[in-house]
Amino acid sequence: MWTFARLYIFTQACAFFITRARKDLQFYRRYSHSVERSAGLRCDQTILLTGVRTAKRYPTVLRRIHYFDAEKDLRLTFLTNNFLLPALTIAQLYRARWQVELFFRWIKQHLRIKAFYGTSENAVKTQAWVALSVYVLVAIVKNNWGWT
């Protein structure tokens, strides 16, 4: 579970996050936004944390979104610092997180990238494309010559 101090560092770095809210979260509702209940949304609120430690660790407003997933019969409550995206998009991003996890696990297992040689976006993309190309070439060779 993320600590609010760490989440506040993300906010200060102009990055956004989506995380599940604990059931015992203490907060004050500043504003409630209208929601499309037919899409599974139950509430979209602007809140301020009121817990003794949490209010100190995350002193600015958060967005609290309550979503009902009809497919899995789950009620989910999210916290985010993103006030620009629609509430349904926030819920969908959280739902898609597992596919992202699986993608990166596949990259780690099959492309065998242990470390990146550069930190720029271009360096990372280039190394990933080279590793993917080598993987595909090896797969083609194995298929053509019957190697296992």
Side-chain angles (χ1 to χ4, degrees), residues 7 10 13 20 23 29-30 32 36 49 66-67 70 78 81 85 94 110 125 128 130 132 140-141:
L7 294 176
F10 289 155
R20 294 272 301 270
K23 294 189 186 306
R29 179 177 42 94
R30 278 196 167 174
S32 289
E36 187 178 333
L49 299 176
H66 187 77
Y67 176 75
F78 307 115
N81 61 347
L85 292 174
Y94 187 84
H110 293 90
K125 284 182 178 180
V130 168
L132 185 62
I140 290 170
V141 169

Side-chain angles (χ1 to χ4, degrees), residues 107-136:
I107 285 177
K108 285 180 185 179
Q109 289 175 344
H110 293 90
L111 300 187
R112 310 236 192 261
I113 298 174
K114 299 296 181 197
F116 287 103
Y117 296 109
T119 56
S120 71
E121 181 181 350
N122 189 43
V124 172
K125 284 182 178 180
T126 300
Q127 188 173 348
W129 276 111
V130 168
L132 185 62
S133 300
V134 170
Y135 177 83
V136 169

